[in-house]
Amino acid sequence: VQLQASGGGLVQAGDSLRLSCAASKRTFTNNGVGWFRQSPGKEREFVAGISWSGANTGYADSVKGRFTISRDNAKSTVYLQMDRLKAEDTAVYYCASHRSAYYARRADEYHYWGQGTLVTVSS
């Protein structure tokens, strides 16, 4: 079982990045996926989630209107498009596979996690 997050980097405030979460088919099939982030000294927080079909999505208030989650099941990949980035978006971003076909805002409802990709936004 593998989840591979990629796409992080160093950008300036106002720039965009697209994160990818590639999963093995067994991890991905029929599962919702969530993106979380964690910055130093803070707890891991929910960023965005998407159901297996892509029909249902949800966002943290802090990123709503700036971030967009999507998925391509044929490629077993989930994306997080991040626009108008802010310094406070700096964190390690993780993707995770939910136990069901839906997503959740609680990290303990996810059973498989990727290794994380670092996003640094300079102001």
Side-chain angles (χ1 to χ4, degrees):
V1 174
Q2 286 186 331
L3 289 169
Q4 184 80 25
S6 62
L10 173 62
V11 296
Q12 293 187 333
D15 285 351
S16 297
L17 273 178
R18 188 175 80 157
L19 305 184
S20 298
C21 176
S24 61
K25 206 163 185 64
R26 184 157 63 97
T27 305
F28 211 70
T29 303
N30 297 328
N31 291 98
V33 172
W35 283 99
F36 290 76
R37 67 187 182 187
Q38 188 167 21
S39 51
K42 294 187 177 181
E43 293 187 354
R44 190 169 297 190
E45 63 174 352
F46 173 80
V47 175
I50 188 167
S51 62
W52 174 78
S53 67
N56 299 104
T57 59
Y59 300 90
D61 288 343
S62 58
V63 306
K64 199 173 294 183
R66 299 188 297 120
F67 290 12
T68 304
I69 190 171
S70 62
R71 66 190 297 160
D72 184 340
N73 286 341
K75 296 182 179 180
S76 297
T77 302
V78 170
Y79 304 99
L80 184 67
Q81 177 67 40
M82 306 187 295
D83 297 320
R84 301 195 304 280
L85 283 161
K86 303 176 180 179
E88 51 263 43
D89 294 319
T90 295
V92 177
Y93 284 71
Y94 300 89
C95 60
S97 175
H98 195 263
R99 301 173 189 276
S100 77
Y102 301 97
Y103 68 89
R105 294 173 184 265
R106 290 174 51 127
D108 61 6
E109 294 193 31
Y110 291 78
H111 55 170
Y112 300 125
W113 290 80
Q115 85 291 357
T117 185
L118 177 62
V119 173
T120 303
V121 184
S122 62
S123 57

